[in-house]
């Protein structure tokens, strides 16, 4: 990697002063450094190491000459970038340039040095850079320097610089002549580009970094007069080399880059589709060669996404068929376990709160337990700490696999990684609290007589003043759990969590119904869309995070697994957690309370403390219920809706 010399951090160095009598010595210094160098950086490094013999003036001269060759040619890269190369300082941070100075900020002393050295130089690499610097600095007669830079970069193709550096010099020459419309120089640049791309593709060790920048420029087409046809004239060799490169460079990012070149530059739709199909075939070929399940999945996913993007339906279908057929035994999964630091005596001390003389008292304790995932704020801080101290988390993305055994979602951005890591922290808490909650329910069943569904539901309505339908579902879920039918328990309780959230939002007068639009039916949104609205009304973030971690993605996603038939086996811990999720929202929903009679502020306070003292009391709910009925009767008598 190019780096800034450490000695350049000195800030009290003597400023350079141009001395024409030193030009010959400087030329000898440059020629010596250039003799077997393969890049401008090599030349700069060798000059910088020249001894200054303790003379501060000579040291300033060496520093200035070395800095001349520390300017770099940088290829334009990234999505949507135009082909070409720029000349810029080696090190740049924001608006401050450390080494060397911005070209436009070059002083007259240095410009004199560059101009004099250019007139005396014979090496094309040296002439090309000096002319380019003077052109970029807009020194007098910039067109003359531009022509010299282009001609010298082309002539440098026979020199000792590496193939990659020669490629960048040609791209820079192309970048100079295009805006200046130097059509007489275009054939020589094109010929050099075609020659270098062709020889590189034929070589045993073919470097894509040399070929692809050249191809992108060639496929842009030749300069044309303003009155000429809009379609650019592309050299036939460039099209041939494009497909040769697709045959040679099969890595996913290279195949895609070449395919995008074809899409952006070619005018023949058959050639474009041929290039797109070849790129997709490269990805399929890589999947075919992979033996490990994760690698095969990666290639097939990339191929399927690429094919879908460009409407290659037959290839997309083939990718999906192969993805579905991957042998699960080829996945090399690794399970990481850690010993719990929780002592059995600590758990037993906590469990004693459920040792109540009456089952209903034990259930009250159960319904007052905190959010199983713990504090959302603390979990987020823990997740940030993990990411900040893990190189793997910083540079790599994460992918999850669903119950179907296929890749489900990727997490690549910083925010996505954070959310997934938060779930990782919450998942640990869910595992621990699931065991505690299930043990609490088992303890109740072992110590008390289990009542009938109607009796339990009636007690819930009387104690909490909540919606009878939701209380009945909660009672039935508890009895299914105590009957060891965990899967039926979860299948009953999960949809009722969503129903309870919907009921609360209607109570809060939130406009949640999605009206019919074109082919979309009118319907209520799902749980994932409704929870943020409940959060907006003050729902405790700890409990909101718990419900997400249990029922939605990137959590356990039990809601969708159950809805699509993938929930085939449920353990007691999961059943206990789902019951806890239903209880926290079901017991918040008042019974038959109209929005006219309901105190919305009281409901919001209840949401902010789902298990605390701010829960709406039974007598308050009873008053709301009575008030609601009185208002309804009064409205009917007055003829109001």
């Amino acid at each position: 990697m190019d780096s800034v010399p450490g000695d350049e951090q000195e800030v009290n160095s003597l400023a350079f002063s141009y001395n024409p009598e030193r030009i010959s010595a400087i030329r000898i210094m440059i020629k010596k450094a250039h003799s077997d160098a393969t890049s401008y950086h090599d030349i700069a490094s060798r000059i910088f190491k020249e001894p200054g013999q303790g003379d501060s003036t000579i040291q300033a001269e060496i520093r200035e000459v070395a800095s001349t060759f520390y300017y770099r040619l940088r290829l334009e890269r990234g999505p949507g970038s135009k082909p070409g190369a720029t000349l810029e300082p080696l090190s740049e941070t924001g608006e401050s340039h450390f080494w060397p100075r911005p070209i436009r900020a070059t002083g007259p002393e240095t410009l004199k040095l560059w101009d004099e050295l250019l007139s005396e130089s014979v090496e094309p690499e040296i002439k090309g850079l000096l002319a380019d610097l003077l052109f970029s600095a807009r020194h007098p007669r910039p067109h003359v320097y531009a022509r010299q830079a282009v001609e010298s970069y082309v002539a440098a193709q026979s020199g000792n610089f590496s193939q990659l550096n020669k490629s960048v010099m040609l791209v820079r020459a192309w970048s100079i002549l295009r805006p200046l419309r130097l059509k007489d120089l275009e054939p020589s640049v094109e010929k050099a580009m075609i020659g270098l791309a062709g020889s590189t593709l034929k070589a045993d060790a073919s470097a894509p970094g040399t070929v692809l920048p050249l191809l992108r420029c060639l496929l842009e087409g030749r300069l044309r007069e303003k009155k000429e046809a809009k379609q650019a004239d592309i050299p036939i060799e460039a099209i041939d080399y494009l497909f040769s490169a697709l045959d040679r460079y099969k890595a996913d990012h290279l195949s895609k880059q070449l395919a995008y070149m074809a899409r952006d530059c070619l005018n023949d739709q058959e050639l474009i589709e041929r290039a797109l199909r070849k790129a997709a075939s490269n990805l399929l070929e890589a999947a075919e060669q992979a033996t490990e399940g994760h690698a095969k999945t990666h290639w097939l996913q990339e191929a399927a996404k690429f094919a879908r993007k460009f409407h290659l339906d037959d290839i997309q279908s083939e990718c999906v068929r192969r993805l579905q057929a991957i042998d699960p035994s080829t996945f090399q999964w690794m399970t990481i376990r850690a010993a719990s630091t929780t002592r059995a005596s600590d758990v037993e001390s906590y469990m004693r709160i459920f040792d109540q003389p009456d089952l209903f008292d034990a259930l009250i304790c159960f319904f007052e337990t905190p959010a199983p995932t713990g504090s959302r704020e603390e979990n987020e801080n823990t997740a940030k700490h993990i990411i900040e101290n893990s190189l793997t988390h910083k540079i790599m993305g994460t992918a999850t696999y669903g119950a179907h055994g296929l890749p489900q979602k990727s997490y690549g951005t910083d925010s996505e990684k954070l959310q997934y890591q938060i779930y990782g922290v919450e998942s640990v808490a869910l595992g621990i609290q699931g065991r505690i909650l299930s043990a609490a329910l088992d303890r109740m069943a072992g110590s008390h007589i289990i009542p009938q569904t109607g009796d339990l539901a009636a007690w819930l309505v009387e104690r909490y003043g909540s919606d009878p339908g939701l209380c009945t579902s909660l009672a039935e879920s508890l009895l299914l759990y105590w009957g060891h039918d965990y899967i039926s328990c979860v299948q009953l309780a999960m949809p009722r969590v969503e129903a309870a959230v919907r009921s609360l939002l209607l109570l809060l007068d939130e406009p949640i119904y999605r009206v019919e639009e074109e082919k979309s039916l009118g319907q209520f949104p799902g749980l994932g869309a409704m929870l943020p609205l409940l959060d907006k009304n003050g729902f405790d973030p700890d409990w909101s995070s718990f419900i997400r971690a249990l029922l939605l993605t990137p959590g356990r996603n039990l809601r969708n697994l159950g809805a699509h038939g993938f929930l085939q086996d449920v353990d007691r811990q999961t059943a206990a957690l789902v019951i806890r999720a239903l209880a926290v929202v079901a017991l918040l929903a008042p019974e038959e309370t109209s929005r006219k009679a309901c105190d919305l502020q009281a409901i919001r306070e209840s949401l902010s403390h789902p298990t605390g003292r701010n829960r709406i009391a039974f007598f308050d709910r009873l008053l709301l219920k009575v008030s609601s009925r009185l208002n309804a009767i009064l409205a009917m008598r007055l003829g109001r809706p």
Side-chain angles (χ1 to χ4, degrees), residues 146-399:
R147 298 184 71 88
Q148 285 184 283
V150 172
E151 291 169 346
S152 298
Y153 283 142
V154 172
Q157 297 305 298
S158 59
N160 293 329
F161 272 24
S162 66
Q163 298 291 84
L164 180 59
N165 281 287
K166 290 179 180 179
S167 173
V168 178
M169 284 193 284
L170 287 177
V171 174
R172 176 58 182 165
W174 183 89
S175 301
I176 294 172
L177 71 87
R178 296 285 289 192
L180 298 178
R181 303 191 64 78
L182 305 177
K183 291 194 67 174
D184 59 315
L185 297 179
E186 186 178 35
S188 62
V189 174
E190 180 185 298
K191 181 180 178 180
M193 283 184 164
I194 290 172
L196 181 56
S199 63
T200 305
L201 284 167
K202 293 174 184 176
D204 293 336
S206 180
T210 298
V211 176
L212 267 63
L214 297 174
L215 279 179
R216 184 61 184 88
C217 294
L218 290 169
L219 290 171
E220 192 74 8
R222 299 185 177 107
L223 285 168
R224 51 188 175 79
E225 298 296 338
K226 294 181 180 180
K227 297 181 180 180
E228 290 179 357
K230 290 185 178 180
Q231 294 184 353
D233 185 13
I234 299 174
I236 189 63
E237 296 91 342
I239 299 175
D240 292 340
Y241 292 163
L242 172 67
F243 288 98
S244 296
L246 279 166
D247 288 331
R248 191 79 187 261
Y249 310 131
K250 297 186 177 182
D252 55 351
H253 62 288
L254 297 176
S255 287
K256 291 177 185 177
Q257 192 173 342
L258 289 163
Y260 295 149
M261 285 185 197
R263 178 200 62 181
D264 296 339
C265 300
L266 300 183
N267 299 307
D268 188 324
Q269 287 301 317
E270 291 186 5
L271 288 176
I272 294 174
E273 183 167 354
R274 178 185 162 194
L276 294 173
R277 286 185 170 274
K278 178 59 184 172
S281 297
N282 285 346
L283 300 175
L284 273 174
E285 183 180 336
E288 190 67 27
Q289 293 174 355
T291 57
E292 200 275 328
H294 290 102
K296 189 180 287 288
T297 298
H298 164 76
W299 289 109
L300 288 173
Q301 269 194 293
E302 291 301 309
K305 292 176 185 176
F306 183 85
R308 182 173 64 239
K309 181 176 182 178
F310 294 108
H311 309 291
L312 306 175
D313 298 336
D314 56 329
I315 295 181
Q316 182 190 356
S317 298
E318 179 61 22
C319 292
V320 174
R321 278 193 290 269
R322 294 191 191 185
L323 191 63
Q324 295 171 171
I326 295 178
D327 184 355
S329 65
T330 61
F331 288 91
Q332 297 178 4
W333 296 106
M334 179 183 296
T335 302
I336 300 175
R337 292 185 174 90
S340 174
T341 58
T342 304
R343 297 177 300 179
S345 58
D346 295 333
V347 175
E348 177 59 25
S349 298
Y350 180 77
M351 294 296 295
R352 287 174 185 169
I353 66 172
F354 303 107
D355 293 336
Q356 300 293 329
D358 186 83
L359 173 65
F360 296 142
D361 291 333
L363 282 174
I364 291 173
C365 294
F366 183 85
F367 295 145
E368 290 180 353
T369 55
T373 47
S375 166
R376 168 71 183 192
E377 183 179 358
E378 290 180 7
N379 292 340
E380 185 170 340
N381 291 335
T382 301
K384 289 178 179 178
H385 179 74
I386 292 172
I387 292 175
E388 289 170 359
N389 291 276
S390 171
L391 181 61
T392 302
H393 282 87
K394 290 181 179 179
I395 65 176
M396 296 182 66
T398 301

Side-chain angles (χ1 to χ4, degrees), residues 592-636:
E592 300 178 7
T593 305
S594 73
R595 62 187 179 88
K596 291 182 180 179
C598 180
D599 183 348
L600 297 186
Q601 183 58 36
I603 296 295
R604 292 191 179 97
E605 290 178 3
S606 180
L607 284 171
S608 65
H609 298 83
T611 58
R613 296 180 180 177
N614 286 43
R615 179 194 293 274
I616 298 180
F618 169 72
F619 292 106
D620 293 329
R621 291 171 187 261
L622 185 61
L623 288 174
L624 288 173
K625 177 180 177 180
V626 173
S627 176
S628 172
R629 290 179 177 174
L630 289 175
N631 281 342
I633 294 172
L634 183 61
M636 291 178 61

Side-chain angles (χ1 to χ4, degrees), residues 449-502:
I449 297 174
I450 304 301
Q452 297 295 316
T453 302
D455 294 338
L456 182 54
W459 173 78
L460 289 169
V461 172
E462 181 181 353
R463 168 72 188 185
Y464 295 100
S466 301
D467 179 80
L470 293 172
C471 287
T472 300
S473 296
L474 178 57
E476 290 175 344
S477 300
L478 283 165
L479 265 65
L480 286 169
Y481 177 91
W482 285 324
H484 307 297
D485 189 353
Y486 304 122
I487 189 164
S488 296
C489 168
V490 168
Q491 288 175 335
L492 169 65
M494 276 198 307
R496 301 300 283 162
V497 174
E498 189 165 322
V501 171
R502 182 170 59 247

